[in-house]
Amino acid sequence: MNNNEKYFVSLISSHLNNTLPELPVDIDWEEIYRLSNIHNVCAIVTNQILLLPKNQRPEKDMLIKFRQQIGYTLIDYDNKNNALDFLINILTKSNIDFILIKGAILRDYYPIKEYRTSGDIDVIINYSDIDKFHKILTTEKIKFTDKRNNFFSFLYKGQNIEIHSNFDMDHPYFENIFDMCEKRGFEYKISNELHLLYVLCHIIKHFNLFGAGIKMFMDVDILIRHMKVFDYDNFLKKCRELNIETFAKACFSLCSFWFNTPVKAEINFNKNNNFRELFEDEIINSGSYGFNRRDLGNYYISKGIGKSGKNNIFAKLRAFTAMVFPKKEYVKSHFKYLKKYPFLLPFAYLQRLFSAIFIRTRHSKSTIKSIMNSKSEAEQYKKLLNELNI
């Protein structure tokens, strides 16, 4: 990491540790502002900047830009609260069991909960309630943004709410998540340890798509800090059962290195420089969800690079094939009629291909262009995924 990136991480760390930030040395505040924006942590960074001596802060115009982000964040927090109240009320009135996850819960663990931003509000309901809840929301004149067999999302006063079924999980382990949580009325409460396991699997999902930003690792830190007792060895045993142990160790080691997270660090990042730099660079420069560096074409080329680790013509051909003929599980999740008529799977592939050619033409061309133009950066990303065993 360069000097600006290191200072950006140090500001986040001081917030998580409730300490005064380090004094800036040769810092480009425009770059700190850019990093804060692509990771959606402007309010937290601004809060730490305002703890600096006045003569160490950014110039007036730059400081105004930072301060404005606090205002926007507080407005968004209020809007999310209203959307969350609506969601909880309608689920309860509809007699639908649910589990709130990620931001809706984790923000309360942060030093200043209003500053923990999130893109969506996430809730889990039983698969058997998906269609029922969708029909209920339809009567509310809700604008839906996505609909699949086991998942849908909608907008409520500008806030995107994602409804996941227990069959739309980042790991099969969570299909029985309701049995693992404590029931309180219609809301089921997830334990911090299970939530941490869920967050780790969610980060892996994002790495396997486009990438994961610093906020996801902040959530790991904040969950560990919030536990009265964290049985590391027992938790690693569970990670081993889910085949995510290598990633969990790397994640904990990085959090310890970056944030002083009170967790065992099995990887010494002061010595393992090459892996650390690869890991850090990917997180810092990819933004919240990897979109700052990577697109759908990069996703497919990552899948296309074989054991050789080379981004050659064969990798590009495999990437193109994966784009045209994705796994049947993916197709089944996007075509509802396959649930009742699974023998129509070949027709669904043709329907998807027709849409790609005649409806989403521009998007398809852009993805193909990205695949063909991808270079050595894709090899580096594949190397990281291999190192993390994901």
Side-chain angles (χ1 to χ4, degrees):
M1 291 195 297
N2 61 37
N3 200 39
N4 290 310
E5 292 163 350
K6 289 178 181 177
Y7 192 66
F8 169 69
V9 172
S10 77
L11 289 172
I12 299 294
S13 179
S14 65
H15 182 75
L16 296 173
N17 286 281
N18 198 25
T19 59
L20 291 174
E22 299 173 9
L23 297 180
V25 179
D26 296 326
I27 294 303
D28 180 352
W29 288 112
E30 284 282 359
E31 178 62 7
I32 300 297
Y33 184 76
R34 184 190 72 83
L35 290 169
S36 303
N37 264 299
I38 67 172
H39 286 277
N40 200 14
V41 290
C42 273
I44 287 174
V45 168
T46 303
N47 184 76
Q48 300 313 105
I49 288 173
L50 293 175
L51 296 176
L52 291 168
K54 289 185 178 181
N55 64 344
Q56 298 291 327
R57 298 175 189 175
E59 295 294 330
K60 182 180 178 181
D61 290 346
M62 191 73 245
L63 190 60
I64 289 173
K65 288 175 68 175
F66 274 108
R67 284 181 180 273
Q68 285 175 334
Q69 293 300 323
I70 288 185
Y72 297 146
T73 301
L74 292 175
I75 291 170
D76 185 67
Y77 176 82
D78 286 340
N79 291 337
K80 276 192 169 54
N81 269 350
N82 291 332
L84 190 59
D85 288 343
F86 165 79
L87 178 64
I88 293 173
N89 286 336
I90 198 166
L91 283 167
T92 303
K93 289 179 182 177
S94 304
N95 298 333
I96 294 176
D97 293 332
F98 65 94
I99 304 169
L100 295 174
I101 48 169
K102 296 189 297 181
I105 299 296
L106 297 179
R107 63 182 186 174
D108 290 337
Y109 298 173
Y110 275 74
I112 304 175
K113 65 180 181 179
E114 293 85 355
Y115 290 176
R116 197 286 184 185
T117 55
S118 59
D120 308 301
I121 296 172
D122 296 276
V123 65
I124 302 170
I125 66 175
N126 282 300
Y127 176 76
S128 57
D129 288 324
I130 281 285
D131 287 339
K132 171 186 174 182
F133 192 41
H134 187 271
K135 289 176 182 177
I136 290 169
L137 290 172
T138 301
T139 64
E140 298 284 330
K141 297 181 179 180
I142 288 294
K143 180 181 178 181
F144 296 97
T145 53
D146 198 357
K147 176 70 170 79
R148 305 174 200 170
N149 284 344
N150 48 24
F151 161 90
F152 67 87
S153 58
F154 65 93
L155 289 176
Y156 178 79
K157 295 184 178 180
Q159 296 296 317
N160 196 56
I161 299 175
E162 294 192 347
I163 309 298
H164 304 267
S165 82
N166 57 309
F167 291 161
D168 179 46
M169 298 286 98
D170 300 328
H171 193 287
Y173 176 81
F174 297 102
E175 286 183 2
N176 298 314
I177 191 169
F178 281 92
D179 296 332
M180 306 174 193
C181 297
E182 180 185 352
K183 182 175 174 61
R184 297 181 186 176
F186 290 104
E187 182 174 3
Y188 283 65
K189 294 290 186 179
I190 187 169
S191 69
N192 289 324
E193 185 178 275
L194 185 62
H195 208 164
L196 178 58
L197 200 62
Y198 185 96
V199 167
L200 289 173
C201 290
H202 188 67
I203 298 174
I204 290 172
K205 171 194 170 183
H206 277 280
F207 265 119
N208 276 316
L209 291 172
F210 303 105
I214 196 170
K215 193 166 58 179
M216 296 186 188
F217 294 85
M218 292 163 62
D219 286 346
V220 170
D221 170 272
I222 216 73
L223 267 166
I224 292 173
R225 291 180 192 273
H226 198 71
M227 293 186 204
K228 293 180 179 179
V229 177
F230 179 46
D231 189 336
Y232 178 86
D233 292 331
N234 187 56
F235 187 82
L236 258 290
K237 182 180 178 182
K238 290 183 180 178
C239 291
R240 198 173 304 125
E241 293 171 1
L242 273 64
N243 199 30
I244 64 168
E245 181 183 10
T246 301
F247 177 79
K249 288 179 179 179
C251 179
F252 293 155
S253 297
L254 186 67
C255 286
S256 176
F257 183 75
W258 271 0
F259 308 136
N260 258 347
T261 307
V263 67
K264 184 178 180 180
E266 296 198 30
I267 303 173
N268 187 343
F269 280 127
N270 285 309
K271 293 182 179 179
N272 201 332
N273 289 330
N274 292 335
F275 174 54
R276 188 197 77 217
E277 289 171 5
L278 193 63
F279 203 8
E280 288 180 327
D281 178 69
E282 182 53 45
I283 296 166
I284 295 299
N285 291 297
S286 292
S288 291
Y289 305 109
F291 301 134
N292 194 61
R293 169 178 275 186
R294 197 162 283 104
D295 59 20
L296 197 55
N298 296 122
Y299 163 75
Y300 285 121
I301 198 66
S302 176
K303 300 301 178 187
I305 294 175
K307 293 181 180 179
S308 68
K310 298 297 182 182
N311 184 9
N312 51 29
I313 187 62
F314 299 106
K316 290 175 171 33
L317 286 172
R318 284 191 293 268
F320 181 73
T321 302
M323 172 188 167
V324 177
F325 301 107
K327 292 181 179 180
K328 63 180 180 181
E329 290 78 15
Y330 175 86
V331 178
K332 286 180 178 179
S333 71
H334 282 74
F335 294 93
K336 192 174 181 179
Y337 59 78
L338 292 176
K339 180 184 175 183
K340 190 173 182 180
Y341 306 108
F343 60 88
L344 290 177
L345 181 63
F347 176 79
Y349 273 105
L350 289 174
Q351 184 179 348
R352 186 177 181 277
L353 185 59
F354 178 89
S355 175
I357 296 173
F358 298 105
I359 300 175
R360 296 181 291 111
T361 308
R362 183 179 297 179
H363 175 74
S364 299
K365 285 182 177 179
S366 175
T367 302
I368 293 170
K369 183 178 179 181
S370 177
I371 290 172
M372 299 310 296
N373 291 338
S374 61
K375 298 178 182 178
S376 59
E377 190 276 333
E379 296 177 0
Q380 289 295 99
Y381 189 62
K382 187 66 174 181
K383 181 181 177 181
L384 174 63
L385 297 185
N386 288 340
E387 292 268 8
L388 295 171
N389 195 28
I390 57 178

